[in-house]
Amino acid sequence: MSSFPYPAFLHHRPVDAAAQRAALAAVGRCRIVPTSSFPGAADFREIVQMNVAQAHVGLTDETDGADQETLQTTRKARMKQGIAMAKTYLVETLQLDVTVVDVEVVLDARDVIQSDGCLASGLLDAGCDKIVVDGTNRDALETAQIPKARLMGHFVYPHTDSRTRNGSLAVAFAEVQPFCDSVSVELSNPEAVTESVIQEIVQAAKAQQLQISIVYNPNDYENPGDHAAMVGRVCQSFPEGQVRLALTDPTASQLGHAYAACLKTDRDDGLFATVVCTRNNEALGLVYSSTSSIVAALECGRGVYYSRSRNGLWRKGDTSGHFQVLHRLDKDCDGDALRVTVTQKGTPAAFCHLNTLTCWGTSRGLRHLEETLQDRLVSAPEGSYTKRLFQDETLLRDKLVEEAQELSEADTKAHVAEELADVLYFAMVRAVKAGVSLDDAVAELDSRARKVTRRKGDSKAFRIAAGEAILKKAQS
């Protein structure tokens, strides 16, 4: 858990390039509060209604009296539709990359209860990291029916409820601890946004072994410098990451300065060593960042660094065309170095001035295979087997089935490695032909890791039969 600040979107879209807010969620986490005043509120209500309909299958006139198989089919169809709607809302309406950014969504307790928890699990299956629910509503916490690690109880400070005032926070936290591994506390007025209050809240959460997010409006600080300094002190006070600070509808400047205040450096120029990586965690190169470059990156959604030779901002790709789509910023364990996760663009996609993907020369392994196949797709030499596979869909399909069977039958470590290499080669040919990259596959794996609803995973008889037919044909 990082102590670094993150944005909580209450009234503004997460992405608004016109307002220089293109990538605020790139700090790695964000919160959305889809109330009636939030952008896309009508779309979100449709998602709620679909999940309520899923929960009420068999309880309404529409499905009352149906047999169990029909009811199960109807529930499954509505669940899939609800998840698809949630994905569209997150990815298209809000423009959030939920495969790389941890998204918290605040739900109305009534919606959680009316949907019998379907809304909470559906949003997690769509890619959200955590569901945030009123911590004083035990019914909603119980009804959510999701793992503790994915549920957060929310409180307001100060509040008329005595459980959320001063030392009694510990009592409120103890009551939600059976359902959640984390809580959030909203500081509801400017007078509450003090380091002493934050310390008090954090200690109450620590007593219950709960992670904590403190939510407040950065505009409660008149002086931006004072705000950044406060964030830095709080971050340094809890080096093990017991607390996160969530800034309500921050500007890129407010968030960037607060983020940088949590970093440290021993360099005289105040710059932060920065490793630039792909989504597959391949290091592209070593650069340096400054507070101003972090702010600029959040404003434009691209890789922006500080050039020591130019003594100013370096917007990667402005002159070369090899720009980068910014995904995420992370600090290392000591807080003295950054990792910037990007998708490298260009033809070819090259970070290095020597026109290679990385500053460490030629790629190896799967990335080298991908680059080779991409080249073969455009300009394969005469007699190329790879070109033949690109052109003959039946051959490629048959080889995928054949090699997968051989992998399943391999019985030694060396044999499994050999057959796995074969499967990876033919699978990568299929992917490159379809325009799918390794980074796309990594994003899909990360997306699946967020799901809480799991299928049985039984084999499909019709697929097995089709594969056997292909293999029998090959043997004849």
Side-chain angles (χ1 to χ4, degrees), residues 283-317:
L284 300 181
L286 176 67
V287 296
Y288 291 88
S289 296
S290 65
T291 299
S292 59
S293 73
I294 293 172
V295 171
L298 298 179
E299 287 177 340
C300 67
R302 287 174 44 187
V304 182
Y305 313 103
Y306 190 90
S307 171
R308 294 171 297 163
S309 61
R310 305 174 193 175
N311 196 31
L313 292 184
W314 169 33
R315 299 178 186 275
K316 174 67 176 170

PDB file of all heavy atoms in Angstrom, residues 283-317:
ATOM      1  N   ALA A 283      12.182  -2.801 -18.925  1.00  0.00           N
ATOM      2  CA  ALA A 283      12.785  -1.477 -18.779  1.00  0.00           C
ATOM      3  C   ALA A 283      13.190  -0.931 -20.146  1.00  0.00           C
ATOM      4  O   ALA A 283      13.949  -1.562 -20.886  1.00  0.00           O
ATOM      5  CB  ALA A 283      14.003  -1.553 -17.868  1.00  0.00           C
ATOM      6  N   LEU A 284      12.657   0.243 -20.490  1.00  0.00           N
ATOM      7  CA  LEU A 284      13.005   0.886 -21.763  1.00  0.00           C
ATOM      8  C   LEU A 284      14.232   1.767 -21.619  1.00  0.00           C
ATOM      9  O   LEU A 284      15.039   1.874 -22.537  1.00  0.00           O
ATOM     10  CB  LEU A 284      11.823   1.730 -22.254  1.00  0.00           C
ATOM     11  CG  LEU A 284      10.519   0.983 -22.519  1.00  0.00           C
ATOM     12  CD1 LEU A 284       9.452   1.944 -23.024  1.00  0.00           C
ATOM     13  CD2 LEU A 284      10.739  -0.133 -23.525  1.00  0.00           C
ATOM     14  N   GLY A 285      14.368   2.431 -20.473  1.00  0.00           N
ATOM     15  CA  GLY A 285      15.525   3.305 -20.291  1.00  0.00           C
ATOM     16  C   GLY A 285      15.475   4.003 -18.947  1.00  0.00           C
ATOM     17  O   GLY A 285      14.493   3.920 -18.207  1.00  0.00           O
ATOM     18  N   LEU A 286      16.571   4.693 -18.623  1.00  0.00           N
ATOM     19  CA  LEU A 286      16.685   5.458 -17.390  1.00  0.00           C
ATOM     20  C   LEU A 286      16.661   6.945 -17.712  1.00  0.00           C
ATOM     21  O   LEU A 286      17.439   7.418 -18.546  1.00  0.00           O
ATOM     22  CB  LEU A 286      17.988   5.112 -16.665  1.00  0.00           C
ATOM     23  CG  LEU A 286      18.297   5.923 -15.398  1.00  0.00           C
ATOM     24  CD1 LEU A 286      17.292   5.603 -14.302  1.00  0.00           C
ATOM     25  CD2 LEU A 286      19.722   5.646 -14.916  1.00  0.00           C
ATOM     26  N   VAL A 287      15.765   7.684 -17.060  1.00  0.00           N
ATOM     27  CA  VAL A 287      15.650   9.124 -17.279  1.00  0.00           C
ATOM     28  C   VAL A 287      15.511   9.785 -15.899  1.00  0.00           C
ATOM     29  O   VAL A 287      15.690   9.145 -14.867  1.00  0.00           O
ATOM     30  CB  VAL A 287      14.426   9.466 -18.160  1.00  0.00           C
ATOM     31  CG1 VAL A 287      14.593   8.873 -19.552  1.00  0.00           C
ATOM     32  CG2 VAL A 287      13.129   8.955 -17.525  1.00  0.00           C
ATOM     33  N   TYR A 288      15.187  11.079 -15.907  1.00  0.00           N
ATOM     34  CA  TYR A 288      14.999  11.805 -14.655  1.00  0.00           C
ATOM     35  C   TYR A 288      13.689  12.582 -14.702  1.00  0.00           C
ATOM     36  O   TYR A 288      13.246  13.014 -15.767  1.00  0.00           O
ATOM     37  CB  TYR A 288      16.181  12.740 -14.392  1.00  0.00           C
ATOM     38  CG  TYR A 288      17.447  11.986 -14.071  1.00  0.00           C
ATOM     39  CD1 TYR A 288      18.304  11.578 -15.099  1.00  0.00           C
ATOM     40  CD2 TYR A 288      17.748  11.626 -12.764  1.00  0.00           C
ATOM     41  CE1 TYR A 288      19.447  10.837 -14.817  1.00  0.00           C
ATOM     42  CE2 TYR A 288      18.890  10.896 -12.474  1.00  0.00           C
ATOM     43  CZ  TYR A 288      19.737  10.503 -13.501  1.00  0.00           C
ATOM     44  OH  TYR A 288      20.855   9.772 -13.214  1.00  0.00           O
ATOM     45  N   SER A 289      13.100  12.716 -13.526  1.00  0.00           N
ATOM     46  CA  SER A 289      11.845  13.455 -13.407  1.00  0.00           C
ATOM     47  C   SER A 289      11.999  14.583 -12.405  1.00  0.00           C
ATOM     48  O   SER A 289      12.854  14.529 -11.510  1.00  0.00           O
ATOM     49  CB  SER A 289      10.712  12.523 -12.931  1.00  0.00           C
ATOM     50  OG  SER A 289      10.449  11.509 -13.877  1.00  0.00           O
ATOM     51  N   SER A 290      11.151  15.585 -12.572  1.00  0.00           N
ATOM     52  CA  SER A 290      11.071  16.700 -11.633  1.00  0.00           C
ATOM     53  C   SER A 290       9.607  16.880 -11.258  1.00  0.00           C
ATOM     54  O   SER A 290       8.716  16.258 -11.853  1.00  0.00           O
ATOM     55  CB  SER A 290      11.606  17.984 -12.273  1.00  0.00           C
ATOM     56  OG  SER A 290      10.782  18.366 -13.360  1.00  0.00           O
ATOM     57  N   THR A 291       9.352  17.746 -10.298  1.00  0.00           N
ATOM     58  CA  THR A 291       7.961  18.035  -9.945  1.00  0.00           C
ATOM     59  C   THR A 291       7.202  18.553 -11.160  1.00  0.00           C
ATOM     60  O   THR A 291       6.076  18.143 -11.435  1.00  0.00           O
ATOM     61  CB  THR A 291       7.903  19.074  -8.808  1.00  0.00           C
ATOM     62  OG1 THR A 291       8.561  18.550  -7.661  1.00  0.00           O
ATOM     63  CG2 THR A 291       6.460  19.402  -8.455  1.00  0.00           C
ATOM     64  N   SER A 292       7.836  19.430 -11.921  1.00  0.00           N
ATOM     65  CA  SER A 292       7.167  20.012 -13.091  1.00  0.00           C
ATOM     66  C   SER A 292       6.914  18.971 -14.171  1.00  0.00           C
ATOM     67  O   SER A 292       5.889  19.028 -14.863  1.00  0.00           O
ATOM     68  CB  SER A 292       7.993  21.169 -13.661  1.00  0.00           C
ATOM     69  OG  SER A 292       9.286  20.733 -14.037  1.00  0.00           O
ATOM     70  N   SER A 293       7.800  17.998 -14.316  1.00  0.00           N
ATOM     71  CA  SER A 293       7.580  16.972 -15.346  1.00  0.00           C
ATOM     72  C   SER A 293       6.460  16.024 -14.930  1.00  0.00           C
ATOM     73  O   SER A 293       5.695  15.531 -15.770  1.00  0.00           O
ATOM     74  CB  SER A 293       8.866  16.187 -15.622  1.00  0.00           C
ATOM     75  OG  SER A 293       9.188  15.293 -14.580  1.00  0.00           O
ATOM     76  N   ILE A 294       6.342  15.753 -13.633  1.00  0.00           N
ATOM     77  CA  ILE A 294       5.247  14.917 -13.140  1.00  0.00           C
ATOM     78  C   ILE A 294       3.909  15.615 -13.399  1.00  0.00           C
ATOM     79  O   ILE A 294       2.956  15.004 -13.893  1.00  0.00           O
ATOM     80  CB  ILE A 294       5.420  14.612 -11.643  1.00  0.00           C
ATOM     81  CG1 ILE A 294       6.644  13.713 -11.436  1.00  0.00           C
ATOM     82  CG2 ILE A 294       4.168  13.953 -11.074  1.00  0.00           C
ATOM     83  CD1 ILE A 294       7.015  13.502  -9.975  1.00  0.00           C
ATOM     84  N   VAL A 295       3.845  16.909 -13.097  1.00  0.00           N
ATOM     85  CA  VAL A 295       2.625  17.677 -13.351  1.00  0.00           C
ATOM     86  C   VAL A 295       2.298  17.666 -14.841  1.00  0.00           C
ATOM     87  O   VAL A 295       1.139  17.438 -15.238  1.00  0.00           O
ATOM     88  CB  VAL A 295       2.773  19.127 -12.846  1.00  0.00           C
ATOM     89  CG1 VAL A 295       1.593  19.980 -13.315  1.00  0.00           C
ATOM     90  CG2 VAL A 295       2.880  19.154 -11.331  1.00  0.00           C
ATOM     91  N   ALA A 296       3.292  17.890 -15.672  1.00  0.00           N
ATOM     92  CA  ALA A 296       3.071  17.934 -17.121  1.00  0.00           C
ATOM     93  C   ALA A 296       2.585  16.592 -17.653  1.00  0.00           C
ATOM     94  O   ALA A 296       1.731  16.539 -18.541  1.00  0.00           O
ATOM     95  CB  ALA A 296       4.358  18.350 -17.831  1.00  0.00           C
ATOM     96  N   ALA A 297       3.126  15.494 -17.124  1.00  0.00           N
ATOM     97  CA  ALA A 297       2.700  14.162 -17.558  1.00  0.00           C
ATOM     98  C   ALA A 297       1.231  13.918 -17.207  1.00  0.00           C
ATOM     99  O   ALA A 297       0.471  13.363 -18.002  1.00  0.00           O
ATOM    100  CB  ALA A 297       3.584  13.093 -16.922  1.00  0.00           C
ATOM    101  N   LEU A 298       0.821  14.361 -16.009  1.00  0.00           N
ATOM    102  CA  LEU A 298      -0.573  14.198 -15.610  1.00  0.00           C
ATOM    103  C   LEU A 298      -1.494  15.077 -16.449  1.00  0.00           C
ATOM    104  O   LEU A 298      -2.648  14.726 -16.713  1.00  0.00           O
ATOM    105  CB  LEU A 298      -0.739  14.551 -14.132  1.00  0.00           C
ATOM    106  CG  LEU A 298       0.025  13.686 -13.127  1.00  0.00           C
ATOM    107  CD1 LEU A 298      -0.230  14.171 -11.707  1.00  0.00           C
ATOM    108  CD2 LEU A 298      -0.346  12.218 -13.256  1.00  0.00           C
ATOM    109  N   GLU A 299      -0.986  16.213 -16.889  1.00  0.00           N
ATOM    110  CA  GLU A 299      -1.793  17.128 -17.698  1.00  0.00           C
ATOM    111  C   GLU A 299      -2.062  16.588 -19.090  1.00  0.00           C
ATOM    112  O   GLU A 299      -3.170  16.726 -19.613  1.00  0.00           O
ATOM    113  CB  GLU A 299      -1.079  18.482 -17.809  1.00  0.00           C
ATOM    114  CG  GLU A 299      -1.104  19.317 -16.547  1.00  0.00           C
ATOM    115  CD  GLU A 299      -0.330  20.616 -16.690  1.00  0.00           C
ATOM    116  OE1 GLU A 299       0.529  20.699 -17.598  1.00  0.00           O
ATOM    117  OE2 GLU A 299      -0.576  21.540 -15.902  1.00  0.00           O
ATOM    118  N   CYS A 300      -1.035  15.958 -19.696  1.00  0.00           N
ATOM    119  CA  CYS A 300      -1.174  15.571 -21.109  1.00  0.00           C
ATOM    120  C   CYS A 300      -1.315  14.070 -21.336  1.00  0.00           C
ATOM    121  O   CYS A 300      -1.624  13.641 -22.450  1.00  0.00           O
ATOM    122  CB  CYS A 300       0.002  16.108 -21.927  1.00  0.00           C
ATOM    123  SG  CYS A 300       1.598  15.361 -21.530  1.00  0.00           S
ATOM    124  N   GLY A 301      -1.061  13.245 -20.327  1.00  0.00           N
ATOM    125  CA  GLY A 301      -1.222  11.808 -20.483  1.00  0.00           C
ATOM    126  C   GLY A 301      -0.136  11.151 -21.302  1.00  0.00           C
ATOM    127  O   GLY A 301      -0.352  10.074 -21.869  1.00  0.00           O
ATOM    128  N   ARG A 302       1.033  11.779 -21.345  1.00  0.00           N
ATOM    129  CA  ARG A 302       2.166  11.232 -22.087  1.00  0.00           C
ATOM    130  C   ARG A 302       3.384  11.135 -21.175  1.00  0.00           C
ATOM    131  O   ARG A 302       3.400  11.683 -20.067  1.00  0.00           O
ATOM    132  CB  ARG A 302       2.502  12.122 -23.288  1.00  0.00           C
ATOM    133  CG  ARG A 302       1.519  12.036 -24.422  1.00  0.00           C
ATOM    134  CD  ARG A 302       1.826  13.044 -25.507  1.00  0.00           C
ATOM    135  NE  ARG A 302       3.243  13.124 -25.858  1.00  0.00           N
ATOM    136  CZ  ARG A 302       3.766  14.026 -26.690  1.00  0.00           C
ATOM    137  NH1 ARG A 302       2.974  14.924 -27.245  1.00  0.00           N
ATOM    138  NH2 ARG A 302       5.047  14.034 -26.954  1.00  0.00           N
ATOM    139  N   GLY A 303       4.406  10.436 -21.665  1.00  0.00           N
ATOM    140  CA  GLY A 303       5.660  10.382 -20.942  1.00  0.00           C
ATOM    141  C   GLY A 303       6.369  11.728 -21.053  1.00  0.00           C
ATOM    142  O   GLY A 303       6.741  12.141 -22.149  1.00  0.00           O
ATOM    143  N   VAL A 304       6.518  12.414 -19.931  1.00  0.00           N
ATOM    144  CA  VAL A 304       7.220  13.697 -19.883  1.00  0.00           C
ATOM    145  C   VAL A 304       8.262  13.608 -18.780  1.00  0.00           C
ATOM    146  O   VAL A 304       7.948  13.209 -17.652  1.00  0.00           O
ATOM    147  CB  VAL A 304       6.260  14.872 -19.594  1.00  0.00           C
ATOM    148  CG1 VAL A 304       7.026  16.196 -19.605  1.00  0.00           C
ATOM    149  CG2 VAL A 304       5.128  14.909 -20.612  1.00  0.00           C
ATOM    150  N   TYR A 305       9.501  13.999 -19.097  1.00  0.00           N
ATOM    151  CA  TYR A 305      10.607  13.874 -18.155  1.00  0.00           C
ATOM    152  C   TYR A 305      11.378  15.189 -18.096  1.00  0.00           C
ATOM    153  O   TYR A 305      11.003  16.173 -18.728  1.00  0.00           O
ATOM    154  CB  TYR A 305      11.511  12.703 -18.571  1.00  0.00           C
ATOM    155  CG  TYR A 305      10.710  11.471 -18.897  1.00  0.00           C
ATOM    156  CD1 TYR A 305      10.485  11.080 -20.230  1.00  0.00           C
ATOM    157  CD2 TYR A 305      10.116  10.713 -17.890  1.00  0.00           C
ATOM    158  CE1 TYR A 305       9.708   9.965 -20.536  1.00  0.00           C
ATOM    159  CE2 TYR A 305       9.337   9.599 -18.181  1.00  0.00           C
ATOM    160  CZ  TYR A 305       9.138   9.230 -19.507  1.00  0.00           C
ATOM    161  OH  TYR A 305       8.362   8.147 -19.800  1.00  0.00           O
ATOM    162  N   TYR A 306      12.466  15.188 -17.324  1.00  0.00           N
ATOM    163  CA  TYR A 306      13.312  16.387 -17.249  1.00  0.00           C
ATOM    164  C   TYR A 306      14.639  16.078 -17.918  1.00  0.00           C
ATOM    165  O   TYR A 306      15.327  15.112 -17.555  1.00  0.00           O
ATOM    166  CB  TYR A 306      13.541  16.806 -15.800  1.00  0.00           C
ATOM    167  CG  TYR A 306      14.204  18.169 -15.699  1.00  0.00           C
ATOM    168  CD1 TYR A 306      13.430  19.323 -15.640  1.00  0.00           C
ATOM    169  CD2 TYR A 306      15.589  18.295 -15.710  1.00  0.00           C
ATOM    170  CE1 TYR A 306      14.017  20.572 -15.575  1.00  0.00           C
ATOM    171  CE2 TYR A 306      16.185  19.540 -15.646  1.00  0.00           C
ATOM    172  CZ  TYR A 306      15.399  20.673 -15.583  1.00  0.00           C
ATOM    173  OH  TYR A 306      15.983  21.917 -15.540  1.00  0.00           O
ATOM    174  N   SER A 307      14.975  16.860 -18.915  1.00  0.00           N
ATOM    175  CA  SER A 307      16.227  16.675 -19.648  1.00  0.00           C
ATOM    176  C   SER A 307      17.320  17.510 -19.009  1.00  0.00           C
ATOM    177  O   SER A 307      17.224  18.742 -18.964  1.00  0.00           O
ATOM    178  CB  SER A 307      16.045  17.077 -21.111  1.00  0.00           C
ATOM    179  OG  SER A 307      17.298  17.097 -21.778  1.00  0.00           O
ATOM    180  N   ARG A 308      18.355  16.856 -18.524  1.00  0.00           N
ATOM    181  CA  ARG A 308      19.482  17.580 -17.921  1.00  0.00           C
ATOM    182  C   ARG A 308      20.280  18.324 -18.980  1.00  0.00           C
ATOM    183  O   ARG A 308      20.796  19.413 -18.732  1.00  0.00           O
ATOM    184  CB  ARG A 308      20.384  16.605 -17.167  1.00  0.00           C
ATOM    185  CG  ARG A 308      19.704  15.983 -15.947  1.00  0.00           C
ATOM    186  CD  ARG A 308      20.557  14.874 -15.357  1.00  0.00           C
ATOM    187  NE  ARG A 308      20.714  13.788 -16.313  1.00  0.00           N
ATOM    188  CZ  ARG A 308      21.651  12.845 -16.226  1.00  0.00           C
ATOM    189  NH1 ARG A 308      22.501  12.871 -15.204  1.00  0.00           N
ATOM    190  NH2 ARG A 308      21.738  11.890 -17.122  1.00  0.00           N
ATOM    191  N   SER A 309      20.379  17.735 -20.173  1.00  0.00           N
ATOM    192  CA  SER A 309      21.143  18.402 -21.229  1.00  0.00           C
ATOM    193  C   SER A 309      20.433  19.641 -21.748  1.00  0.00           C
ATOM    194  O   SER A 309      21.072  20.642 -22.090  1.00  0.00           O
ATOM    195  CB  SER A 309      21.412  17.421 -22.380  1.00  0.00           C
ATOM    196  OG  SER A 309      20.187  16.969 -22.947  1.00  0.00           O
ATOM    197  N   ARG A 310      19.087  19.572 -21.814  1.00  0.00           N
ATOM    198  CA  ARG A 310      18.321  20.723 -22.298  1.00  0.00           C
ATOM    199  C   ARG A 310      17.933  21.666 -21.155  1.00  0.00           C
ATOM    200  O   ARG A 310      17.429  22.762 -21.397  1.00  0.00           O
ATOM    201  CB  ARG A 310      17.045  20.240 -22.994  1.00  0.00           C
ATOM    202  CG  ARG A 310      17.288  19.246 -24.124  1.00  0.00           C
ATOM    203  CD  ARG A 310      15.966  18.705 -24.656  1.00  0.00           C
ATOM    204  NE  ARG A 310      16.166  17.554 -25.518  1.00  0.00           N
ATOM    205  CZ  ARG A 310      15.183  16.819 -26.046  1.00  0.00           C
ATOM    206  NH1 ARG A 310      13.930  17.129 -25.779  1.00  0.00           N
ATOM    207  NH2 ARG A 310      15.448  15.780 -26.817  1.00  0.00           N
ATOM    208  N   ASN A 311      18.119  21.193 -19.946  1.00  0.00           N
ATOM    209  CA  ASN A 311      17.773  21.971 -18.760  1.00  0.00           C
ATOM    210  C   ASN A 311      16.305  22.402 -18.779  1.00  0.00           C
ATOM    211  O   ASN A 311      15.962  23.562 -18.529  1.00  0.00           O
ATOM    212  CB  ASN A 311      18.688  23.202 -18.619  1.00  0.00           C
ATOM    213  CG  ASN A 311      18.622  23.812 -17.226  1.00  0.00           C
ATOM    214  OD1 ASN A 311      18.407  23.096 -16.252  1.00  0.00           O
ATOM    215  ND2 ASN A 311      18.795  25.127 -17.138  1.00  0.00           N
ATOM    216  N   GLY A 312      15.442  21.428 -19.092  1.00  0.00           N
ATOM    217  CA  GLY A 312      14.017  21.733 -19.150  1.00  0.00           C
ATOM    218  C   GLY A 312      13.206  20.475 -19.398  1.00  0.00           C
ATOM    219  O   GLY A 312      13.743  19.358 -19.449  1.00  0.00           O
ATOM    220  N   LEU A 313      11.902  20.647 -19.564  1.00  0.00           N
ATOM    221  CA  LEU A 313      11.022  19.503 -19.789  1.00  0.00           C
ATOM    222  C   LEU A 313      11.321  18.823 -21.110  1.00  0.00           C
ATOM    223  O   LEU A 313      11.612  19.467 -22.115  1.00  0.00           O
ATOM    224  CB  LEU A 313       9.556  19.952 -19.765  1.00  0.00           C
ATOM    225  CG  LEU A 313       8.991  20.431 -18.418  1.00  0.00           C
ATOM    226  CD1 LEU A 313       7.501  20.731 -18.573  1.00  0.00           C
ATOM    227  CD2 LEU A 313       9.223  19.409 -17.321  1.00  0.00           C
ATOM    228  N   TRP A 314      11.223  17.504 -21.102  1.00  0.00           N
ATOM    229  CA  TRP A 314      11.435  16.686 -22.300  1.00  0.00           C
ATOM    230  C   TRP A 314      10.156  15.886 -22.539  1.00  0.00           C
ATOM    231  O   TRP A 314       9.871  14.918 -21.857  1.00  0.00           O
ATOM    232  CB  TRP A 314      12.632  15.758 -22.089  1.00  0.00           C
ATOM    233  CG  TRP A 314      12.792  14.687 -23.132  1.00  0.00           C
ATOM    234  CD1 TRP A 314      12.483  14.769 -24.454  1.00  0.00           C
ATOM    235  CD2 TRP A 314      13.307  13.371 -22.913  1.00  0.00           C
ATOM    236  NE1 TRP A 314      12.771  13.585 -25.086  1.00  0.00           N
ATOM    237  CE2 TRP A 314      13.281  12.709 -24.171  1.00  0.00           C
ATOM    238  CE3 TRP A 314      13.790  12.694 -21.802  1.00  0.00           C
ATOM    239  CZ2 TRP A 314      13.718  11.399 -24.316  1.00  0.00           C
ATOM    240  CZ3 TRP A 314      14.228  11.388 -21.949  1.00  0.00           C
ATOM    241  CH2 TRP A 314      14.193  10.747 -23.190  1.00  0.00           C
ATOM    242  N   ARG A 315       9.366  16.341 -23.492  1.00  0.00           N
ATOM    243  CA  ARG A 315       8.144  15.635 -23.868  1.00  0.00           C
ATOM    244  C   ARG A 315       8.516  14.597 -24.911  1.00  0.00           C
ATOM    245  O   ARG A 315       8.656  14.914 -26.092  1.00  0.00           O
ATOM    246  CB  ARG A 315       7.101  16.622 -24.409  1.00  0.00           C
ATOM    247  CG  ARG A 315       6.690  17.665 -23.389  1.00  0.00           C
ATOM    248  CD  ARG A 315       5.687  18.660 -23.971  1.00  0.00           C
ATOM    249  NE  ARG A 315       5.413  19.726 -23.037  1.00  0.00           N
ATOM    250  CZ  ARG A 315       4.513  19.672 -22.064  1.00  0.00           C
ATOM    251  NH1 ARG A 315       3.766  18.600 -21.938  1.00  0.00           N
ATOM    252  NH2 ARG A 315       4.346  20.673 -21.236  1.00  0.00           N
ATOM    253  N   LYS A 316       8.673  13.387 -24.473  1.00  0.00           N
ATOM    254  CA  LYS A 316       9.136  12.316 -25.333  1.00  0.00           C
ATOM    255  C   LYS A 316       8.276  12.220 -26.589  1.00  0.00           C
ATOM    256  O   LYS A 316       7.048  12.099 -26.510  1.00  0.00           O
ATOM    257  CB  LYS A 316       9.096  10.990 -24.559  1.00  0.00           C
ATOM    258  CG  LYS A 316       9.412   9.758 -25.385  1.00  0.00           C
ATOM    259  CD  LYS A 316      10.845   9.756 -25.853  1.00  0.00           C
ATOM    260  CE  LYS A 316      11.152   8.461 -26.608  1.00  0.00           C
ATOM    261  NZ  LYS A 316      12.448   8.505 -27.283  1.00  0.00           N
ATOM    262  N   GLY A 317       8.931  12.306 -27.746  1.00  0.00           N
ATOM    263  CA  GLY A 317       8.245  12.131 -29.025  1.00  0.00           C
ATOM    264  C   GLY A 317       7.903  13.413 -29.752  1.00  0.00           C
ATOM    265  O   GLY A 317       7.470  13.356 -30.908  1.00  0.00           O
TER     266      GLY A 317
END
